[in-house]
Amino acid sequence: MQRVYLDNNATTIVDPLVKEAMDPFFTQIYGNPNSLHDFGTEPHPYMRLALDRMYKGLNAPDDADILITGCATESNNTVLKGVYYDIMHHGKRNQIITTPVEHPCVANTAKFLESLGAELKILPLNEDGIVDQEILRRFINPDKTALVSVMWANNETGMIFPVKELAEAAHENGALFHTDAVQAIGKIPVDVRDANVDFLSFSAHKFHGPKGIGGLFIRQGLRLTPLLHGGEQMGGKRAGTVNVPEMIGMGLAMEMAAQNLEYELTEVRRLRDKMEDALLKIDDTLVVGRRGLRTPNTILCSIKGVEGEAMLWDLNKNGIAASTGSACASESLVPNPTFVAIGINKDLAHTGIRISLSRFTTEQEIDYAIDVFRNSIERLRKISSSY
Ligand code: PLP
């Protein structure tokens, strides 16, 4: 049976060239980079090259910081908790503003800080399912807001947020601006200088790098209380021995993401559109969010009369890996805010199946997936109408 991986917003295959570049750092150049002997200093030039690739990939100025973290969850926690400790905890600015569609590592960290006394404001979405500058301007408080945290692109829908305009509004009101760019890197242009963000989080495994390594861009002149205390690694800004092989891999993966961006914006988009057009030809289906406002690899499709998990298992039986982009957050039965914002008909908002491609997805795989989706929807609709 053919297997097709269409869950690239969850994680991606490691590019074989990235794996190859990491290999020597397990068994040959394995010294602790904080040791003073030659084993310890040998990895330094390679680590410098990896960092240079990250600075270039993000267009970060030389005097900015890029911290190497264990994942984007850590990067996001570092920003929110750091700003809480440094500003909110003892200043008069005590408010954090975010959106209802952030990843749980932002949403739950913000709720935790609320439980410690921070004021949390969750912005409404506009009719496109995003937050725009006008909405932020309406809710930001020039005396109270310390941090605005808005993702660059959403993991379920692929919706792209106007971070440059949002950062501008935050700064005009004396607040710092953080963006979780995990789902943006490698899919759309990401330029920290142009967007003028203060903090930006990323994660290697979403752009064909290894799992368990991430990064945090920090604008020059800013310093955050570290999340992890311990040794003096990374100038005391993030304690813990750095994961050298994965840092090398993340640097190369970032460089390759930039090199392949044009392909993503044209060829991956073409395959995504082909799949999307085929799904929309089936009765009573819809795709969440306007095409032009989404990352080029993502489809969140709602299919009337088909339960999300049943569909997922049926696809899995046919070798296709997709994901449920929940119409309802299952534990709470709260409707997905994007579905509500863009006014999706209740009958259609039963389920969301998320299909996410990558530069490794082939035309033949998409043709196979289209056939499987058609058959699966027909079969499941027959079953559900027989009850
Ligand atoms: N932010 C977004 C938007 C994500 O999609 C994810 C992972 O799914 C994360 C953060 C967390 O990334 P990591 O797995 O590196 O902790």
Side-chain angles (χ1 to χ4, degrees):
M1 183 183 56
Q2 178 161 8
R3 271 155 58 92
V4 181
Y5 186 74
L6 294 176
D7 200 12
N8 287 281
N9 285 8
T11 197
T12 56
I13 184 172
V14 175
D15 191 300
L17 292 175
V18 169
K19 181 175 173 294
E20 201 183 302
M22 286 165 55
D23 269 351
F25 296 89
F26 290 103
T27 54
Q28 293 161 40
I29 311 171
Y30 56 82
N32 185 328
N34 295 101
S35 300
L36 296 178
H37 45 64
D38 284 359
F39 282 84
T41 53
E42 270 164 15
H44 288 184
Y46 303 96
M47 293 167 77
R48 186 63 249 169
L49 173 65
L51 260 185
D52 286 347
R53 287 172 161 160
M54 290 176 230
Y55 275 83
K56 190 155 176 243
L58 300 174
N59 193 25
D62 290 346
D63 50 1
D65 266 331
I66 293 182
L67 300 189
I68 305 303
T69 63
C71 53
T73 297
E74 183 190 326
S75 305
N76 288 337
N77 269 263
T78 302
V79 174
L80 271 73
K81 290 176 182 165
V83 173
Y84 176 78
Y85 294 134
D86 298 337
I87 300 175
M88 295 194 255
H89 190 42
H90 37 84
K92 62 179 178 143
R93 288 180 182 266
N94 185 34
Q95 186 190 56
I96 176 164
I97 291 188
T98 187
T99 80
V101 290
E102 297 300 312
H103 189 271
C105 62
V106 169
N108 290 337
T109 306
K111 276 191 213 143
F112 170 68
L113 296 178
E114 188 182 29
S115 78
L116 298 185
E119 185 184 318
L120 177 59
K121 176 82 216 156
I122 310 231
L123 297 172
L125 301 176
N126 68 13
E127 63 285 355
D128 276 323
I130 55 170
V131 165
D132 56 30
Q133 200 187 48
E134 187 268 321
I135 294 177
L136 178 57
R137 281 191 196 286
R138 222 176 330 131
F139 287 93
I140 198 164
N141 185 322
D143 300 317
K144 274 209 300 196
T145 309
L147 178 71
V148 178
S149 179
V150 178
M151 62 190 355
W152 201 312
N154 183 261
N155 42 309
E156 288 186 343
T157 58
M159 298 297 288
I160 299 167
F161 288 72
V163 286
K164 184 175 177 173
E165 287 79 30
L166 297 172
E168 183 185 62
H171 292 150
E172 279 170 18
N173 287 277
L176 293 165
F177 186 83
H178 164 242
T179 187
D180 171 352
V182 166
Q183 297 289 347
I185 290 183
K187 296 171 186 159
I188 53 174
V190 170
D191 180 330
V192 291
R193 251 187 266 216
D194 178 59
N196 199 20
V197 299
D198 298 304
F199 310 108
L200 177 143
S201 308
F202 56 95
S203 180
H205 74 104
K206 308 285 184 173
F207 52 90
H208 304 292
K211 293 167 190 58
I213 187 122
L216 175 60
F217 160 84
I218 303 178
R219 185 168 59 76
Q220 60 276 31
L222 293 175
R223 195 178 165 122
L224 290 171
T225 290
L227 186 68
L228 303 181
H229 291 90
E232 279 304 304
Q233 292 94 346
M234 256 175 255
K237 293 169 195 163
R238 193 267 188 188
T241 305
V242 74
N243 186 337
V244 176
E246 298 208 345
M247 176 180 174
I248 304 298
M250 180 158 71
L252 182 57
M254 176 85 82
E255 182 173 271
M256 293 178 79
Q259 285 163 353
N260 285 289
L261 186 60
E262 195 48 38
Y263 183 85
E264 192 87 20
L265 293 168
T266 53
E267 200 48 22
V268 175
R269 185 191 297 278
R270 185 183 70 75
L271 293 179
R272 189 276 307 266
D273 290 353
K274 181 175 186 180
M275 176 97 212
E276 188 167 323
D277 289 340
L279 289 171
L280 289 172
K281 281 206 187 97
I282 302 169
D283 287 344
D284 290 329
T285 56
L286 66 78
V287 169
V288 178
R290 284 202 272 142
R291 249 186 217 183
L293 293 178
R294 278 186 277 130
T295 46
N297 76 320
T298 306
I299 304 171
L300 178 56
C301 184
S302 189
I303 305 155
K304 187 175 179 182
V306 175
E307 205 266 315
E309 281 193 13
M311 176 95 196
L312 213 59
W313 290 122
D314 203 67
L315 294 172
N316 192 45
K317 271 201 319 223
N318 289 285
I320 307 243
S323 150
T324 50
S326 52
C328 273
S330 50
E331 295 128 53
S332 53
L333 287 179
V334 176
N336 180 312
T338 310
F339 281 66
V340 176
I342 65 179
I344 288 187
N345 177 318
K346 256 193 11 243
D347 292 341
L348 274 172
H350 288 307
T351 179
I353 292 286
R354 183 185 70 186
I355 300 154
S356 45
L357 290 69
S358 82
R359 65 175 190 256
F360 287 83
T361 309
T362 66
E363 181 119 34
Q364 189 276 333
E365 288 178 334
I366 289 297
D367 290 339
Y368 174 73
I370 289 171
D371 270 350
V372 171
F373 265 83
R374 279 201 196 110
N375 294 335
S376 181
I377 291 170
E378 197 180 325
R379 193 164 42 248
L380 292 171
R381 278 184 173 159
K382 265 197 202 129
I383 294 170
S384 69
S385 66
S386 67
Y387 284 120

